[in-house]
Structure formats: structure tokens, C-alpha cells
């Protein structure tokens, strides 16, 4: 197990290195330069390229960048005051994480509760309602939901603010007010999480409830609620945990439109702006961050599978 | 009792008959279909899907809606050309930005070409002044008196607030107004109150309420009959028109087509690539080849789709040359843009499929029957194609149906960033985005495409659920 | 089922409870924690201007800034020799007086004495002297800074500025060509159009060799040798026509009279900077609010990326007693939607909100809506000769075809239906209200055009019938029947709509034409317009300085912005004369102005080089309490020095 983990971590480093390399050269295929603007002259652009050493042969630039990365320097943004890329990412990350974490926590908790209820009261009204909700949830795109919320709950009813507001005590934006402004964006994202968790939880719990050891527990005289709480729920929830991680990534990377609608100064807006302005190092930085997240999560999921389900032996790699 | 031996005949032990099935033999697919038919939700989904598909096929090509002057159907990218009673072409402006109106339904108060809007009192009373230097000057807030003198109206809209506008017993449109300065209440005919330039007249609007905001400025909520206002009462745009006078009914169904084409095309590419890749990787699971192949997917998956899209747009010319060289018919630029979009989406889209297929194969390949076949000397290719692949086809079909909504969402996402389809092509994503911008005035512009999108997703998801159950061998 | 319903009820209750609670918190008086800091005796309430910004600041350094957001902030935290007042009139700022010589070639500025630079906390750092101007202006030419706005020195006509910018540009182009020549490889060529790779390689090589020889010849002729050219450049930069006489006297020498020189002094590129501080901060200069010095009306207090720009009054500003605002608080939301902005205004969170899309129709006629005139003009460029010569470009090189395009396009639809915000349909190129002529009874450029050529509204107005005739005739002439044009535009909501309208109109009025709209990312569009990979190009132009020249000199042969490759030697000659030739003399001002009016007629009526579309305008809601809000058409969009909030 330990050896396997070490092997995988070594592979991660190698993979990240390859990702960095490929993306570095791929970005050079993008048309134009970071300094394009309708009024810049050719000579001016050349001067800018020289200033930022973008005129060197690609390989020279690559080794320079790589050296920087090894020293923890991800380069600077050309478009935002030459700020270091790491600082930019760190300044945007909390907002993205806040919205994403709330959506995830809310979605998973509600999803587990509803999913469990549906499994326990199988073929009852709850079960059907949950099934319908589950299908609806994956059928409504988050941006459509966000648009409806803004139209009905913000514009028509005025219950919620249009915009996300970060905490700012001078302007009277308290922690609570700030939290209140995150409800709609979080919920728009959470619907998908709720439905997926719910469907997954339901099918897992149904399987567990039909298993022999639950039958045994019942036969030994434990009452139904005890069995469900002590034995079934726990065992059904373990596999659910494994789908949380990929969903977390989805929330972090796929929230662009929600960020736009609610004015959240988050990572995906940073990325899109960077792409639109050829801000190479910023694109690379955010992309590396996403890739790292993705790979680490895949690793964790693989390891969790092994821990949770002893039947899956690790010799075969991930399940 | 003597019974002749001859009366006894040995029955033949007919082993074949014993084995004969009393029920009709069903293939895997027949059985799945039989069980799918029993699933009400799935059949409901299938029904909706078929209806949407049929309408999408028929609506933009057949004359179910109105037609241009020359008898052709409205196009999704050109404003309708319609003549009025005098045979003069109706200006594009009059056809632009109309709420939905459907014959029949309009009688019951929906799709009746009326929108509830909020306007300033100036719009209600004065309207759009001619763009002459004289009027430009009169418009200034310091020339209030001069303006009303010129227009021959008693009050400047900024000096009054509306209490209500109603038709009295003689069917004359009256207005109850309050003069802000004095607080005095006045009742006056609307005709007298309003200038000749306002588009609001008796019969084309209905006063709802007036609100005064924190700046002390009045905003009036009215129900405006757009078709009456624009004097095109004989026309029906079922889903309305947009700012460019394009018929949304046509655009919605073209949009459904385009969205589905994108979904199916990326589906085919993703699955062909994903299945081949996943089967190979899974078959060699745990070995070097598998590790390399899986790390490769991580690397490809790390390439931002936006960057790819931009690069693809930049090398559009060579791509279109390549596509045209293999295509039997010359393709138009918008079609090539569509293909580029699909290619960019697919470059990373197959990875998910490959991963699932690989996991399935990993599970199956150690089962006894595979071992048996292997022991009997089956080649690797035979193992993959005859033993492993057919057993995962159920999961693949299910995954495929789940992938379609994903592709449609993804296209919408690209559209929101501005990198999606070529303008003015329509897709559900494009329509939702356009609708989002018009939501305050004509909410139907968002509601209709969003609803159709949700219906489409819902039907596909329901069908996918049904298929999953029908194809699951454990449920037989 | 029952249980499920009750569960839903509980959830609903939780939701309503939270909703109620929030309202309670919202109506609560201010945070108790902040109360004790307020002084006990009642003081005048602070005047805070709340605004919204939809972009981040790219560069907070005067010589590196190139965009409106940076200029807006810089214009309010720093001060130059002049600032702009109502109607864009230049007003003395850091200069207390100035003299211009009779020939208009020397300007002497006398600075205010004892004015201090403030740091982020409002403490004095050092005095603002003439050296600070000298230092910052020279930074514009410093090759290490690669300042894009170095051309402003050239525009101002400062001695040696134009020459050094031109020479530096030539040297760079020469170096680039040399590099290209050195990296030329046979393998990069493929057989094409019946030419072998070797042949193409040879042609390319010969071309480059020719260019290099031309450059080297030119350098040798003018400067003696290539090396001397570099020395000459250094000398030109060192001998820039600015001079520090003493701490409070700053002299500028011009190579030719520039009528709008004083206006330029209000542009942020001409603002001062303290050398000692810049050197001390090094790389960090201008990257955060502590690493910057303030001599303008406001100090940049807090700068949170994508969240907040917070400015407070600078008590060390020379005119601080006349600055009414205490704070300016920008909420920064990137790409915020207009509905949201308007809602924030209606809720009183911000004091002004621009209107776009549907909101123009909805709120555009409220008493608190104020139109804003603008001098940005959008147009279609037509490719006549750029890039590979295709039959379509041959067609477009026929001026009648270009006229047909202009006449076959209803521009009022764009301004009245798509925008409906006061934008004007344009058949002209020099915008209305852009420049008046003192020698024509202060008439506007357009009015002078009316007097001379009847060109008030421009030339070749909308006329679909004539457009169809011209088009059909040209097609018959060239033996074409089906034509396909690529129209390149930026990605974006409005440009997409305008392009769709153009496509619709042209396809309707010009039979046989198909227009393909290609919306492209910014860089890619610029690249395509440079390389000529387009037939029609949707573009916009905003003036760099308040003179019609900024519009007319775009179209000289091989000009940087002339991507359609229009070429007319006569046109070039008049530009030369009006730009730096005989017509620049102060006593020729009238002739010069008329020459420019005539150039516009050549550009639009005779040659129809471009199809003007519309002159942009805007409408904004503005709190009636805001006073002295003067939008500027040049430099920073607003100068908050003048603004007051009535109580």
C-alpha cells in the first residue's frame, strides 16, 4: 500500500511535468501576443516582447520558466500589473472555494438524507418524489436555474441580493450578509450535487438493505431503525464519499457562468480572461492548479476504493 | 385382462422437445425493449423526445407558421419579408422584439403578444420625438415648459404622477393624475394628456400600477400589446421575435437540431475513441501500457478546452481544407465552424468514456468465462471483441444517453463565453443566452428555450434511466 | 408520504426563517464595533461617491498605462501640468502659469511651489518638482520600458520625440527582418501554385535581403553606418526637447506648432513621477497602493483585485480645499451584467449606472437619465489589396462596389433598434462634436463639411435601389454572379448583433452575396486584419488627440491601421502637408482645417474607402445629487476633482 502510494505520487510529479510542458508549448500556438491591441504598432509590440523575454526561442523560455517553477515562481501576469501568478490565484481561490464548498456541503447532506429516505421507504411516495427530483436536478442546467433565480427571487420578489458580496466591515457587509449573498449561487450549483448524491445514495442503500448481514442483524432481533442507523447507513455512505471528490472538482472548474451571473470574483473568470488576453503564465498557473487538483483527487479516490472495499486489490491500479 | 402388448408403444425420448422453449426466444435487445416498454417513465421520456425531434424536423421546413412574401418559410438568420395591406414591405423595426402570439391561445390570455413592462412616465406621455435639432434642444430638462407648449400638452410627465388610467363608461380613456408640486388630483382624458408621438393609445396598453422609487422618480407598469402598437395585428409570431426581427419559433427548432447534431456528433467521436482506448487499457490493466495510457488521458484532459478552441479557430483554414478534401460536397463556412466546435469539444470528451470502459473491462477480464476462453487459446483481439466488449455494451448505451445532455450544456457554456457557434446560427445555448439578456422585458425569450432545453434533457434522462434498468443483467 | 410532506414543511420553514432573520440583520443599525471610533460631536457627514467598475486596472504606472481604467484612476490620483474641466477645457493644475512663444514652438511652465507628493497614508514624501516631469516623460522613450504610449510625445510634437520613435521603430523592424532572414529555412516551404519549394525559398530570401539592404543603405546614408544609427537613437533620446530650468520651471521645445498641445498636458502619459521613489520601489512600483506616490486630488487607499478600488481625498493636493468628495468607493465586478448595475443604482448602492440593451428603452427617458456623447466611431473596412489577391478582393477594389455596400445598409436600425441609446448613424468619419474650428466661427467639423460639400450627414447615404444597381453593374463588369464575403468581428454581444444585421441587409440588397460572419478572439481578429485574411472587417476607432488628423492619417498608404490597403498618393501628400508640412504654420490653420475636411470627402465620397456605421453614444442614470459631473472625451473619463454631492 505504502509502496503503491509512493509510486503513484512519483507518477503524479511526472504527469504534472508533462502537462506543464505540453501546455507551455501549446499556448504558443495561440494566435497573437499578450500585447495585442488595435493601436499598438509592430515595433512597439516587438519591444514589449523583448521586455518580457517572449522573443527568445521557445525552448529557452521553457527552461527559464521551468527553473522558476522549481523555485516556486510561477511567473507574472502580463495583463494585471505584472502581479505574480500565485498571488492572483490565491486572491481568487477563497471565493471559488467558499461558493463551491457550500454547494457541496449542502448538496451532499440533502442528497444523502433524501437518498436514504427514498431507499428506506422504497416504492413509496417519497421514493417517487426523490426519483423525479433526481431526474429534474440533472436536467436543469445550473445557469438556467441561476437565471430563473435572478429573475424571480431577486428581481420580482426582492428576497435575495443580485450579487455576491465579499465580507467588508467598513461597508457594513458582515459575515452573515456575505453568507446570505452566497445562498443563490451556491444553491444553483448544489442542485446537481443533490440529485447525483441522492441517486447514488439510494441505489447503494437499497443494495445494502438487501444484503445478508442486514438480514442477520434483523434476525438477531435488532429493530429496523437501529439496523439502518448502525449498519446500513454507514456502509452505504462510504462509496458515496468517493463521488464527492470528482463533484468538488466539477464545482470548482465549472462555475464560470454562475460566477458571471452573481459577480463572484472567482478562479474560472480569472482563467477565461487570461485565455482571452493570451496571459500565458496565468493560464499555465491556473491550469496547473486545476490539473493538480484533478490528479490528486483521482489518487485519493483510488486509494479510498482500496481502503473501503477490500475486494478491490490494488495490484490492478485504480478501479 | 389381456391387453395386447402391441398396444403399447415406446414413446420416443425426444430430448430436443424437452429442451424446447415454450416462450418465444428473445434476443438481448428484444428483451431489453420488452422491459423498457414496461417502464412508464422511460416511455414518457421517449414520447417527448420523439415529439421534440419530429417538430424540430418539420417546423423549420414546413409552413406550419407564417411565411415570407415570396412564399418561403422564415429563415433563422434573416428577418421576415412581409407586405402590409398596401403592398408595402413592413419595416424590419416593426417586426423586431415581439412577444409570442399564437392564434387561439391568445384568447385565453397567454401567448397573446402582450408583455408586462415597466416604463417611465415620459415614454407613456411624450414618446419618441423626431431627431431634429429643435427637438433635441427641447428635450433638455431645462426646457420643460417649451416642450409641452410645442407638443400642446398640459403637463410635463416629470411634473405629474399617475394614479390610474382607465376607460370610463363612455369608453373614453381617462387618466387620474396627481400634480407633484401641489398634490392636486386631476382627471383628464389620456388623449389630451399625451403627445402625438407616443406609441401608447387607447386599446394598446393597460395600466397596472405606478411606483415611485427612492429618487422620487415614477415608473409605470403597463401591459403593452406589442402587435397593436406596431400595427401588425394580423401577424402571429408563435414564439415572438428578437432584436434583429428573427423569428424565434424558427430559431428554437433550428436550435434544437443544431444542439442535437452537436450532441450526437460528439457522442459518436467520444465513444469510438473512448471504447477502443478504454478496452485496450483495461485489457492490459495494471501493466505498463495501461499506466502510460491512463497518464496520457490525464495529460490530454489537462488541456483547457478554451485554449484548444482558440487554436482551432486560428488554424481554421487548414482544418477546413482538410475537411473539404474528405467531404464529398463542398461545405459552407458555418458548417466548418460547427465541425471545429465539435472537434474541440471531443478532444477531451472521450476521456471520461475511456475511463469507464476501462473500469468495466478490468472487472470483467478476470471472470471465469474469460479465463476459460483464454485457456482454450482465444487470441487477445478475439477476447476483446467477442467476450469483453459485448458485455459492457449495456453500460455504454446508458452512458451515451447520459452524455448527450453534457454536450448540450457544454455548448451552452462555450456560447456564454462567446466562443460557441458561428453567428447567427442558433442553438439552445445561444437562445438561452439571448433570452437572459431580454428577461426583464420579454421573459418568454428565456423561458421558452430554457423549457425546451429542460424537456429535452428530462426526456433523455428518463430514457437513460429506463435503459439502464432494462439492460442491467441483474434485473432480468 | 406524510413524513415526506412534513420534511418539506420543515425545510420550507428553515428557509423562511433564514429569510426573515436576514431582514432583521439588514435593518439593524451600523455594526456596534465601529461606533466608538466615530467622534462624539456631530460632524459633517462624509461625502462618499459609490461607483461600479467592470474591469481591473492593468497598469498603474503613467508611462505604461494604455487603457481607460488605468487612465481613470491615474487621472484622479496624480496631477499633470493641466487638468480638464467642464467641456474638456484645459485648466491649470500643477502648473501655476505658462508661456508659449509666438511661433508656438516653446512652452515654459511654472510649477506651483511647495506641493508635496503624498504616500498611501497621506504623509508627505517629497516636493513635486520639474525633475519629476522630466523623469517621467523620459521614461516614455526608455527602451527598457517599451512604453506603448511613447507616441504621445510624438503627437505633442516635442523636439526629437518623433524622430526617435521613428528611428527606434525602424531599427526594431530591421532587427526583426534580420532575424527572420537568419531563421529562413528551405524546409518551411512547400510546393504550391506550380512553384517549387526552392523557388519560393529563393524569392522569400531575395525579398528579405532586399529589405535588409534597403534599411542598411538608409541607415548608412543618414547616419554614416548601422552602428552610428544606434548612437544617433541614444542621442535623440538624450536630447529630447524638454528642459528643467530650475525646480519650478519646465520648458518644452516643439519641432512644429501643435494647436492642441496644452490639452495633451492633461493626459496621464504626461504626469510626473518621483525618481527616488521609483528607484527605491524597483519592480514593485505601481503594483500596490503603498508602492505609489500621489500628487492628485485623491489617494488610492485600498486596491483589491476584482473587489474594490477605494480612493480617499488627498489633503496634500494643492487645491484640496476645492475638492468636495471625501471618498470614492468603487465596487469592482468583472463583466457585470447591465441589469445588475441598474438594480444597484435603483437600490442606491451606486450613484451612476450606464444603460445598455433593454434598459435603455426602459429607463432612458427618466429625468435622471443623462445622455453621453462620445467620439468613438465604428466602421467596416473593406479589403482591397491586403493578403492573397482573390476575385473577391478584386471586386472590392472597385469603388462602386464599396459604395453599393455603404448604400445598401440601413444604419439607423443599428442606432435606433439595436442600441437605442442615442448613438448616431454615420455616413461620415470625423464624429460630430469632435472638433470645432476657430477660423470658421467655431463651427463643428461637420458643419464646415456641410458648408463646403453638403457633408453634414456624410456622403453616399442609404439608398438600397441605387446600391442594387451599382452592385449588379459591377458584377456584370467582372463577370461574377455569386460572391462570398467573410466579415470578421470581435466576440461579443453587440458586435454579433450588428454583424447579423449587416449580413441580413447586404444579402437582401446585393443579390448574389453571402456574408459569413466570423466572430474571433481579440488577438486572432487583429492578426487577420493585419494579414488581410478578410473581406469585411468590423472595427472601431477612438481619437488619440483632439484633432481630425487622428482620423485621417489612418488611411495613408501602408498605414498601420489601413488593413484594407487603400493607396492614394494624392491623399498621402495632403496628409504630409497637414501633419508636418507647410499647412502646420499657425497662420494656415484655416486652410489646414479645410484640407482635412476635403480629405474626408475624398475618403468617403470619391473613394469610399470604408463604410462608416455609427458614432457611439451612451446613456447613464445618475443620481441628481451628483454635481459637476463632466465626462471627458479625451484622457481619463471622469475627473472627480470637480464632483460634488448635494446634501
Amino acid at each position: 500500500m505504502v509502496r503503491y502510494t509512493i509510486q503513484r505520487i512519483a507518477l503524479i510529479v511526472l504527469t504534472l511535468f508533462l502537462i506543464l510542458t505540453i501546455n507551455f508549448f501549446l499556448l504558443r500556438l495561440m494566435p497573437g501576443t499578450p500585447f495585442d491591441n488595435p493601436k499598438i504598432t509592430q515595433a512597439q509590440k516587438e519591444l514589449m516582447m523583448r521586455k518580457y523575454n517572449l522573443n527568445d526561442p521557445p525552448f529557452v523560455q521553457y527552461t527559464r520558466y521551468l527553473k522558476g517553477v522549481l523555485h516556486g515562481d510561477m511567473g507574472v501576469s502580463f495583463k494585471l500589473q505584472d502581479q505574480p501568478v500565485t498571488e492572483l490565484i490565491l486572491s481568487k481561490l477563497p471565493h471559488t472555494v467558499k461558493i463551491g464548498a457550500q454547494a457541496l456541503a449542502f448538496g451532499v447532506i440533502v442528497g444523502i438524507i433524501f437518498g436514504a429516505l427514498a431507499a428506506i421507504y422504497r416504492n413509496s411516495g417519497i421514493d417517487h418524489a426523490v426519483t423525479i427530483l433526481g431526474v429534474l436536478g440533472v436536467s436543469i442546467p445550473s445557469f438556467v436555474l441561476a437565471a430563473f433565480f435572478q429573475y424571480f427571487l431577486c428581481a420580482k420578489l426582492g428576497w435575495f441580493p443580485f450579487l455576491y458580496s465579499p465580507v467588508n466591515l467598513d461597508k457594513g457587509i458582515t459575515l452573515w450578509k456575505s453568507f446570505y449573498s452566497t445562498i443563490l449561487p451556491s444553491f444553483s450549483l448544489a442542485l446537481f450535487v443533490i440529485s447525483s448524491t441522492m441517486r447514488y445514495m439510494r441505489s447503494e442503500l437499497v443494495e445494502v438493505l438487501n444484503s445478508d448481514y442486514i438480514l442477520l442483524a434483523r434476525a438477531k432481533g435488532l429493530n429496523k431503525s437501529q439496523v439502518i442507523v448502525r449498519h446500513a447507513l454507514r456502509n452505504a455512505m462510504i462509496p458515496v464519499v468517493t463521488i464527492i471528490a470528482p463533484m468538488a472538482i466539477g464545482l470548482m472548474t465549472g462555475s464560470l457562468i454562475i460566477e458571471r451571473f452573481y459577480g463572484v470574483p472567482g478562479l474560472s473568470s480569472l482563467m477565461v480572461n487570461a485565455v482571452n488576453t493570451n496571459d500565458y503564465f496565468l493560464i499555465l498557473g491556473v491550469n496547473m492548479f486545476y490539473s493538480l487538483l484533478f490528479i490528486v483527487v483521482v489518487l485519493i479516490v483510488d486509494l479510498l476504493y482500496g481502503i473501503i472495499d477490500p475486494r478491490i486489490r490494488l495490484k490492478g491500479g485504480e478501479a | 385382462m389381456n391387453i395386447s402388448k402391441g398396444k403399447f408403444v415406446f414413446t420416443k425420448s425426444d430430448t430436443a422437445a424437452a429442451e424446447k422453449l415454450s416462450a418465444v426466444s428473445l434476443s438481448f435487445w428484444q428483451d431489453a425493449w420488452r422491459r423498457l416498454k414496461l417502464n412508464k417513465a422511460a416511455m414518457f421520456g421517449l414520447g417527448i423526445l420523439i415529439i421534440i425531434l419530429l417538430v424540430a424536423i418539420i417546423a423549420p421546413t414546413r409552413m406550419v407558421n407564417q411565411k415570407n412574401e415570396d412564399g418561403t418559410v422564415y429563415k433563422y438568420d434573416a428577418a421576415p419579408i412581409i407586405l402590409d395591406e398596401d403592398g408595402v414591405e413592413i419595416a424590419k423595426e416593426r417586426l423586431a422584439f415581439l412577444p409570442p402570439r399564437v392564434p387561439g391561445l391568445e384568447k385565453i390570455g397567454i401567448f397573446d403578444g402582450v408583455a408586462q413592462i415597466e416604463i417611465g412616465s415620459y415614454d407613456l406621455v411624450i414618446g419618441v420625438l423626431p431627431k431634429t435639432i429643435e427637438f433635441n434642444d427641447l428635450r433638455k430638462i431645462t426646457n420643460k415648459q417649451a416642450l409641452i407648449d410645442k407638443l400642446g400638452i398640459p403637463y410635463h410627465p416629470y411634473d405629474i404622477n399617475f394614479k390610474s388610467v382607465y376607460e370610463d363608461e363612455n369608453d373614453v380613456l381617462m387618466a387620474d393624475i396627481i400634480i407633484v408640486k401641489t398634490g392636486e388630483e386631476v382627471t383628464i382624458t389620456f388623449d389630451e394628456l399625451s403627445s402625438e408621438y407616443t406609441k401608447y393609445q387607447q386599446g394598446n396598453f393597460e395600466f397596472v400600477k405606478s411606483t415611485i422609487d427612492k429618487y422620487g422618480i415614477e415608473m409605470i407598469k403597463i401591459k403593452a400589446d406589442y402587435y397593436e402598437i406596431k400595427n401588425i395585428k394580423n401577424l402571429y409570431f408563435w414564439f415572438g421575435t428578437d432584436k434583429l426581427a428573427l423569428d424565434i419559433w424558427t430559431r428554437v427548432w433550428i436550435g434544437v437540431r443544431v444542439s442535437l447534431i452537436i450532441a450526437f456528433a460528439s457522442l459518436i467521436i467520444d465513444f469510438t475513441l473512448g471504447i477502443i482506448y478504454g478496452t485496450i487499457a483495461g485489457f492490459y490493466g495494471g501493466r505498463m501500457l495501461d499506466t502510460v495510457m491512463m497518464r496520457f488521458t490525464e495529460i490530454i484532459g489537462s488541456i483547457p478546452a478554451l485554449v484548444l478552441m482558440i487554436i482551432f479557430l486560428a488554424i481554421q483554414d487548414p482544418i477546413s481544407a482538410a475537411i473539404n478534401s474528405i467531404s464529398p460536397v463542398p461545405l459552407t463556412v458555418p458548417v466548418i465552424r460547427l465541425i471545429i466546435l465539435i472537434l474541440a469539444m471531443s478532444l477531451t470528451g472521450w476521456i471520461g468514456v475511456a475511463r469507464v470502459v476501462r473500469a468495466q473491462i478490468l472487472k470483467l477480464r478476470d471472470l471465469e468465462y474469460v479465463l476459460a476462453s483464454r485457456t482454450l487459446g482465444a487470441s487477445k483481439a478475439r477476447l476483446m471483441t467477442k467476450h469483453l466488449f459485448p458485455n459492457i455494451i449495456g453500460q455504454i448505451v446508458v452512458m451515451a444517453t447520459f452524455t448527450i445532455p453534457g454536450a448540450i450544456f457544454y455548448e451552452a457554456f462555450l456560447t456564454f463565453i462567446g466562443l460557441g457557434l458561428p453567428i447567427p446560427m442558433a442553438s439552445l445555448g445561444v437562445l438561452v443566452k439571448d433570452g437572459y439578456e431580454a428577461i426583464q422585458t420579454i421573459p418568454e425569450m428565456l423561458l421558452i428555450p430554457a423549457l425546451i432545453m429542460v424537456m429535452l434533457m428530462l426526456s433523455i434522462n428518463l430514457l437513460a434511466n429506463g435503459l439502464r434498468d432494462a439492460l442491467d443483467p441483474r434485473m432480468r | 408520504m406524510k413524513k415526506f410532506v412534513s420534511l418539506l414543511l420543515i425545510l420550507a420553514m428553515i428557509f423562511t426563517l433564514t429569510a426573515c432573520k436576514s431582514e432583521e440583520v439588514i435593518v439593524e443599525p451600523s455594526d456596534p464595533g465601529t461606533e466608538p471610533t466615530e467622534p462624539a460631536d456631530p460632524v459633517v457627514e462624509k461625502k462618499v461617491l459609490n461607483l461600479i467598475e467592470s474591469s481591473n486596472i492593468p497598469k498603474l504606472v503613467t508611462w505604461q498605462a494604455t487603457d481607460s481604467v488605468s487612465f481613470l484612476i491615474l487621472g484622479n490620483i496624480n496631477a499633470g501640468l493641466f487638468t480638464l474641466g467642464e467641456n474638456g477645457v484645459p485648466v491649470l493644475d500643477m502648473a501655476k502659469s505658462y508661456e508659449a512663444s509666438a511661433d508656438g514652438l516653446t512652452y515654459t511652465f511654472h510649477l506651483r511651489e511647495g506641493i508635496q507628493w503624498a504616500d498611501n497614508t497621506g504623509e508627505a514624501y517629497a516636493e513635486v518638482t520639474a525633475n519629476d516631469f522630466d523623469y517621467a516623460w523620459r521614461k516614455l522613450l526608455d527602451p527598457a520600458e517599451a512604453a506603448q504610449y511613447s507616441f504621445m510625445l510624438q503627437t505633442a510634437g516635442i523636439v526629437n520625440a518623433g524622430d526617435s520613435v521613428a528611428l527606434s521603430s525602424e531599427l526594431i523592424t530591421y532587427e526583426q527582418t534580420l532575424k527572420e532572414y537568419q531563421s529562413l529555412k528551405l524546409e518551411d516551404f512547400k510546393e504550391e501554385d506550380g512553384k517549387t519549394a526552392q523557388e519560393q525559398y529563393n524569392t522569400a530570401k531575395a525579398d528579405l535581403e532586399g529589405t535588409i539592404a534597403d534599411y542598411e543603405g538608409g541607415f548608412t546614408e543618414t547616419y554614416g553606418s548601422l552602428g552610428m544609427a544606434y548612437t544617433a537613437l541614444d542621442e535623440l533620446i538624450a536630447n529630447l526637447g524638454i528642459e528643467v530650468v530650475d525646480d519650478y520651471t519646465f520648458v518644452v521645445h516643439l519641432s512644429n506648432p501643435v494647436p492642441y498641445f496644452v490639452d495633451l498636458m492633461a493626459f496621464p502619459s504626461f504626469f510626473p513621477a518621483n525618481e527616488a521613489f521609483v528607484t527605491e520601489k524597483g519592480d514593485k512600483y505601481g503594483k500596490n497602493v503603498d508602492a505609489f506616490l500621489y500628487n492628485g486630488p485623491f489617494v488610492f487607499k485600498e486596491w483589491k483585485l476584482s473587489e474594490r478600488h477605494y480612493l480617499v481625498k488627498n489633503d496634500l493636493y494643492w487645491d484640496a480645499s476645492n475638492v468636495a468628495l471625501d471618498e470614492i468607493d468603487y465596487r469592482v465586478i468583472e463583466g457585470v451584467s447591465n441589469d445588475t448595475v441598474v438594480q444597484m443604482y435603483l437600490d442606491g448602492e451606486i450613484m451612476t449606472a450606464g444603460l445598455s440593451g433593454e434598459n435603455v428603452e426602459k429607463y432612458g427617458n427618466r429625468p435622471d437619465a443623462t445622455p453621453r456623447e462620445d467620439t468613438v466611431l465604428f466602421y467596416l473596412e473593406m479589403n482591397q489589396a491586403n493578403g492573397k489577391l482573390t476575385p473577391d478582393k478584386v471586386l472590392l477594389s472597385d469603388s462602386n462596389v464599396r459604395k453599393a455596400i455603404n448604400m445598401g445598409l440601413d444604419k439607423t436600425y443599428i442606432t435606433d433598434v439595436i442600441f437605442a441609446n442615442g448613438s448616431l448613424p454615420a455616413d461620415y468619419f470625423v464624429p460630430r462634436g469632435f472638433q470645432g474650428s476657430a477660423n470658421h466661427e467655431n463651427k463643428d467639423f461637420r458643419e464646415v463639411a456641410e458648408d463646403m460639400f453638403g457633408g453634414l450627414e456624410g456622403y453616399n447615404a442609404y439608398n438600397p435601389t441605387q446600391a442594387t444597381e451599382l452592385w449588379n453593374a459591377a458584377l456584370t463588369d467582372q463577370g461574377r454572379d455569386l460572391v462570398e464575403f467573410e466579415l470578421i468581428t470581435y466576440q461579443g454581444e453587440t458586435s454579433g448583433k450588428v454583424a447579423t444585421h449587416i449580413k441580413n441587409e447586404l444579402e437582401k440588397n446585393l443579390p448574389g452575396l453571402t456574408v459569413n460572419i466570423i466572430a474571433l478572439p481579440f488577438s486572432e481578429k487583429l492578426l487577420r486584419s493585419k494579414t488581410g485574411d478578410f473581406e469585411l472587417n468590423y472595427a472601431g476607432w477612438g481619437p488619440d488627440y483632439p484633432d481630425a488628423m487622428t482620423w485621417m492619417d489612418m488611411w495613408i498608404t501602408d498605414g498601420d491601421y489601413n488593413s484594407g490597403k487603400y493607396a492614394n498618393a494624392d491623399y498621402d501628400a495632403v496628409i504630409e502637408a497637414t501633419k508636418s508640412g507647410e499647412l502646420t504654420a499657425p497662420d494656415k490653420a484655416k486652410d489646414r482645417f479645410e484640407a482635412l475636411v476635403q480629405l474626408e470627402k475624398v475618403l468617403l465620397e470619391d473613394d469610399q474607402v470604408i463604410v462608416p456605421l455609427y458614432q457611439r453614444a451612451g446613456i447613464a442614470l445618475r443620481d441628481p445629487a451628483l454635481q459637476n459631473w463632466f465626462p471627458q472625451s479625451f484622457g481619463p473619463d471622469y475627473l472627480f476633482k470637480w464632483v460634488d454631492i448635494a446634501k
Side-chain angles (χ1 to χ4, degrees), chain A residues 31 36-39 41 44 46 48 50-51 79 81 83 88 92 95 114 121 126 162-164 273, chain C residues 3-4 57-58 64 146-148 172 175-176 287 303 305-307 331 334 343 523-524 542 544 561:
Chain A
D36 285 331
N37 114 23
K39 294 202 171 179
T41 61
Q44 263 307 323
E46 174 73 15
M48 296 294 274
R50 285 187 195 171
K51 182 177 165 188
K79 286 290 167 184
Q81 313 108 30
Q83 299 274 13
L88 287 173
K92 301 268 188 171
H95 304 290
F114 279 18
Y121 303 102
I126 299 185
F162 270 88
L163 286 174
Y164 163 79
N273 287 347
Chain C
K3 279 180 190 162
F4 179 68
I57 303 170
Q64 283 178 345
Q148 196 195 314
I172 290 161
E175 285 165 19
Q176 254 182 317
K287 285 189 195 169
W303 177 6
L305 194 72
S306 308
E307 286 182 40
R331 175 86 198 267
E334 278 176 282
Q343 198 58 47
S523 294
E524 172 67 3
D544 289 322
Y561 312 109

Side-chain angles (χ1 to χ4, degrees), chain A residues 256-306:
Chain A
L256 177 87
I257 301 175
I258 304 295
E259 284 185 6
R260 285 236 172 132
F261 279 16
Y262 291 98
V264 181
L267 260 191
S268 37
S269 327
L270 186 72
M271 177 71 166
V272 172
N273 287 347
V275 172
N276 282 334
T277 51
N278 284 17
D279 207 338
Y280 301 133
F281 295 148
L282 192 51
I283 306 175
L284 279 176
V286 181
N287 193 47
M288 277 305 277
F289 176 78
Y290 281 156
S291 306
L292 182 69
L293 205 68
F294 179 75
I295 293 173
V296 168
V297 165
V298 169
L299 173 71
I300 293 174
V301 170
D302 288 352
L303 293 179
L304 271 183
Y305 269 132

